[in-house]
Amino acid sequence: MKNIVRAFVIALVLTGSAATAYTANSGAIVTNATTVSAIPKPTCPLDDPNHCGMGQNR
């Protein structure tokens, strides 16, 4: 049982170190991260009385 736990801990350590090395180098891959936004931009005018057709029952 001790050997199984030790093998599991070693696997976790190796996986963690590989993930850390990958994320440390991934900064060079991303070139233009400033343009990504989670806020949607409206495509219709804000003063549209029809609200871009969303007020119609279809």
Side-chain angles (χ1 to χ4, degrees), residues 8-33:
F8 183 69
V9 169
I10 290 172
L12 286 176
V13 168
L14 291 176
T15 305
S17 64
T20 302
Y22 178 74
T23 55
N25 293 331
S26 68
I29 297 172
V30 177
T31 57
N32 196 2

Side-chain angles (χ1 to χ4, degrees), residues 1-7:
M1 185 71 178
K2 284 184 181 181
N3 290 334
I4 294 173
V5 172
R6 287 179 183 169

Side-chain angles (χ1 to χ4, degrees), residues 30-42:
V30 177
T31 57
N32 196 2
T34 58
T35 60
V36 177
S37 175
I39 301 172
K41 295 182 181 175

Side-chain angles (χ1 to χ4, degrees), residues 30-58:
V30 177
T31 57
N32 196 2
T34 58
T35 60
V36 177
S37 175
I39 301 172
K41 295 182 181 175
T43 56
C44 297
L46 296 176
D47 57 351
D48 185 13
N50 194 21
H51 301 291
C52 299
M54 296 181 72
Q56 298 174 353
N57 295 328
R58 294 183 185 190

